[in-house]
């Protein structure tokens, strides 16, 4: 055992999860300088004990069947909604038969693998705690690795099936915290493709006051978003706020609008030539280009003259504005989401649950408003 420890100190990369891997040890040993010796390149990706079984699980058909429960349903013959009770892996396999490539929005809130909320193979985890002190050659590093491996094996088939359900213009939203964020990001890059990564939404789950953790108090959680096909994913948007609506205080035959200066703000450096030109004012005088440049090219300006408004300032100089209308093609203008950091906390989720059930029946419930906003984006 002393020699194994010495070997581990010399070649730590050959001891994944604290256990000797002969193939990795051979790779770590000095190679012959013979030019005929060629190494087989190791594939890039996420590898863990049990991965092969997880891949097989994803492709294995379920033996389960639907069993409707009319006595617990509301308008079962006409409702468009479905609540499924049971193992979510079996549910995904059953859904695949009817809904493959048809689902626009998927949100999941998987176990965070914190040691408190992770119920997958919980008895296995408890056994691991006992083996730390009893089994020779097994240390906290090995247990830690198998702990993550079990979580990855649980997540892999479910994410793979979720991708198969998504329509080309669909997206999946996955909640997670610091414990497995890194593994989840690698796994979703592999299953959905890094080119289909949309965003990582960071939101502050709680506002902490006073003393807490010894170092830094964790306050945030994340929502990883991936598209089925990025090129087909529509832009995310949400309704503008009432405060923003009030900015559209002017009106003409096309409806309410707000004025936006045509002069582009910013410092005077490297202006684009097609954005530098004089504009004729209503009184026939010439309005020179601002210090920087205009927001529209002269060609665009001529095409959209109806959306131009001239106003003379107190200094007697003309100002040029564009009209941004509140309604576009009959629908109120929307905005692109910016940040949800301070919009919601788990306190809101607790209040939501109390209002629905009269008590808190689940730990750390997600705020209803947060989920509503995600759905509205789509």
């Amino acid at each position: 055992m002393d020699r194994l420890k010495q070997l581990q100190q010399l070649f730590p990369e050959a001891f994944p999860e604290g256990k000797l891997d002969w193939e990795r040890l051979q790779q770590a040993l000095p190679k012959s300088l013979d030019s005929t010796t060629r190494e087989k390149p190791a594939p890039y990706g996420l590898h863990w004990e049990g991965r092969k079984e997880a891949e097989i699980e994803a492709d294995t058909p379920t033996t389960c069947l639907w069993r409707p429960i009319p006595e617990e349903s509301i308008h079962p013959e006409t409702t468009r909604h479905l609540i499924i009770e049971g193992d979510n892996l079996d549910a995904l396999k059953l859904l695949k038969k009817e809904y493959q490539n048809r689902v626009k929005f998927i949100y999941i809130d998987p176990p965070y693998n914190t040691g408190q909320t992770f119920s997958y193979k919980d008895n296995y985890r408890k056994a691991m705690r006992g083996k730390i002190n009893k089994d020779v050659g097994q240390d906290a590093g090995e247990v830690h690795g198998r702990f993550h491996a079990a979580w990855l094996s649980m997540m892999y088939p479910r994410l793979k099936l979720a991708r198969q359900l998504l329509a080309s213009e669909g997206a999946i939203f996955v909640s997670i915290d610091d414990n497995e964020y890194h593994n989840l990001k690698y796994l979703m890059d592999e299953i959905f493709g890094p080119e289909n990564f949309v965003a990582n939404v960071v939101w502050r789950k709680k506002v902490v006051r006073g003393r807490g953790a010894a170092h830094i108090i964790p306050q945030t959680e994340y929502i990883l978003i991936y598209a089925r096909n990025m090129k087909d994913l529509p832009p995310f948007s949400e309704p503008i706020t009432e405060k923003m609506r009030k900015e559209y205080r002017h009106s003409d035959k096309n409806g309410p609008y707000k004025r936006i200066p045509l002069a582009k703000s910013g410092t005077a450096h490297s202006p684009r030539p097609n954005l530098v030109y004089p504009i004729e004012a209503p009184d026939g005088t010439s309005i020179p280009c601002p210090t920087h440049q205009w927001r529209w090219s002269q060609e665009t300006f001529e095409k959209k003259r109806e959306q131009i408004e001239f106003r003379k300032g107190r200094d007697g100089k003309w100002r040029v504005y564009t009209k941004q209308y509140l309604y576009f093609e009959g629908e109120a203008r929307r905005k692109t989401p910016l940040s949800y950091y301070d919009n919601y906390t788990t306190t809101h989720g607790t209040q939501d649950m109390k209002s629905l059930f009269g008590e808190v029946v689940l730990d750390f419930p997600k705020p209803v408003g947060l989920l509503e906003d995600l759905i509205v984006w789509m």
Side-chain angles (χ1 to χ4, degrees):
M1 185 54 61
D2 290 338
R3 291 186 178 182
L4 276 178
K5 289 183 178 180
Q6 293 175 5
L7 194 62
Q8 185 174 11
Q9 290 178 354
L10 291 171
F11 304 103
E13 65 272 27
F15 288 79
E17 302 180 0
K19 194 173 182 180
L20 176 61
D21 185 316
W22 283 105
E23 186 175 343
R24 292 195 181 188
L25 178 60
Q26 290 175 342
Q27 294 174 354
L29 291 173
K31 304 296 186 299
S32 171
L33 298 179
D34 186 355
S35 60
T36 61
T37 303
R38 295 183 179 181
E39 297 182 22
K40 183 180 179 181
Y44 174 81
L46 189 60
H47 305 280
W48 69 92
E49 183 182 353
R51 175 178 176 128
K52 180 58 67 176
E53 290 80 2
E55 293 173 348
I56 295 173
E57 182 63 60
D59 297 326
T60 303
T62 181
T63 56
C64 295
L65 297 173
W66 296 115
R67 187 174 69 85
I69 309 178
E71 62 273 17
E72 296 183 14
S73 304
I74 300 175
H75 306 303
E77 296 179 358
T78 58
T79 184
R80 298 176 58 191
H81 307 287
L82 182 64
I83 297 177
I84 303 172
E85 182 179 353
D87 188 288
N88 53 27
L89 183 59
D90 290 319
L92 286 167
K93 292 179 179 181
L94 288 170
L95 287 169
K96 178 183 173 182
K97 296 177 181 179
E98 295 186 33
Y99 296 98
Q100 186 168 356
N101 300 328
R102 295 177 58 189
V103 178
K104 186 177 180 181
F105 175 94
I106 296 177
Y107 169 79
I108 63 174
D109 187 10
Y112 285 2
N113 212 6
T114 61
Q116 297 175 340
T117 61
F118 185 40
S119 59
Y120 183 74
K121 290 189 177 179
D122 190 53
N123 58 343
Y124 172 75
R125 290 184 58 248
K126 289 178 180 177
M128 284 294 97
R129 290 174 181 167
K131 289 182 179 180
I132 293 175
N133 296 323
K134 293 180 180 180
D135 287 0
V136 176
Q138 187 170 57
D139 58 17
E142 181 178 353
V143 175
H144 183 72
R146 296 177 71 175
F147 176 49
H148 288 289
W151 187 87
L152 285 165
S153 292
M154 181 272 296
M155 290 295 294
Y156 180 88
R158 289 160 173 81
L159 288 174
K160 186 175 180 180
L161 287 163
R163 181 182 182 274
Q164 295 171 1
L165 288 174
L166 281 179
S168 183
E169 70 277 15
I172 183 171
F173 299 69
V174 185
S175 282
I176 201 66
D177 71 356
D178 293 315
N179 288 285
E180 293 291 353
Y181 174 87
H182 55 300
N183 283 328
L184 178 64
K185 183 66 169 61
Y186 274 121
L187 194 60
M188 296 190 73
D189 274 347
E190 180 175 326
I191 293 174
F192 293 88
E195 70 278 6
N196 291 313
F197 171 68
V198 179
N200 175 31
V201 175
V202 183
W203 65 287
R204 184 158 67 165
K205 63 182 178 179
K206 59 184 177 181
V207 179
V208 180
R209 297 180 178 86
R211 297 182 60 83
H215 302 103
I216 295 177
I217 301 174
Q219 290 185 287
T220 58
E221 287 189 9
Y222 317 99
I223 302 175
L224 277 172
I225 309 173
Y226 279 76
R228 179 64 173 80
N229 287 308
M230 181 66 85
K231 61 182 179 61
D232 295 331
L233 183 68
F236 289 165
S237 65
E238 59 187 12
I240 61 174
T241 64
E242 189 60 32
K243 181 180 179 181
M244 296 173 70
R245 275 180 170 268
K246 291 180 179 179
E247 296 176 1
Y248 295 82
R249 56 181 179 271
H250 311 291
S251 184
D252 63 13
K253 63 180 181 179
N254 295 318
Y257 69 88
K258 70 176 181 179
R259 299 187 185 116
I260 298 178
L262 184 63
K264 187 175 179 66
S265 60
T267 56
H269 65 279
S270 303
R272 290 168 52 186
N274 66 326
L275 299 178
V276 179
Y277 55 91
I279 293 177
E280 184 179 348
D283 61 3
T285 60
S286 179
I287 304 174
C289 181
T291 304
H292 192 41
Q293 60 191 24
W294 302 114
R295 290 189 298 107
W296 291 356
S297 67
Q298 190 167 11
E299 181 181 3
T300 302
F301 177 86
E302 295 298 337
K303 287 181 179 179
K304 297 184 176 182
R305 270 190 172 274
E306 290 187 356
Q307 299 179 30
I308 294 294
E309 182 173 315
F310 294 89
R311 305 285 297 182
K312 186 173 284 191
R314 294 180 180 180
D315 57 1
K317 296 182 179 179
W318 286 102
R319 307 293 197 274
V320 188
Y321 298 90
T322 62
K323 298 178 181 180
Q324 185 184 91
Y325 290 97
L326 176 59
Y327 296 96
F328 180 74
E329 295 184 350
E331 295 187 4
R333 187 175 292 275
R334 298 168 68 87
K335 65 186 181 75
T336 301
L338 179 62
S339 171
Y340 271 73
Y341 186 77
D342 276 324
N343 285 22
Y344 305 99
T345 66
T346 50
T347 299
H348 294 106
T350 300
Q351 294 170 349
D352 293 334
M353 184 162 287
K354 285 183 178 179
S355 66
L356 289 170
F357 302 103
E359 60 179 332
V360 179
V361 296
L362 293 173
D363 293 330
F364 313 114
K366 293 296 184 293
V368 173
L370 175 63
L371 303 185
E372 286 179 340
D373 286 342
L374 298 181
I375 295 171
V376 166
W377 291 0
M378 298 292 291

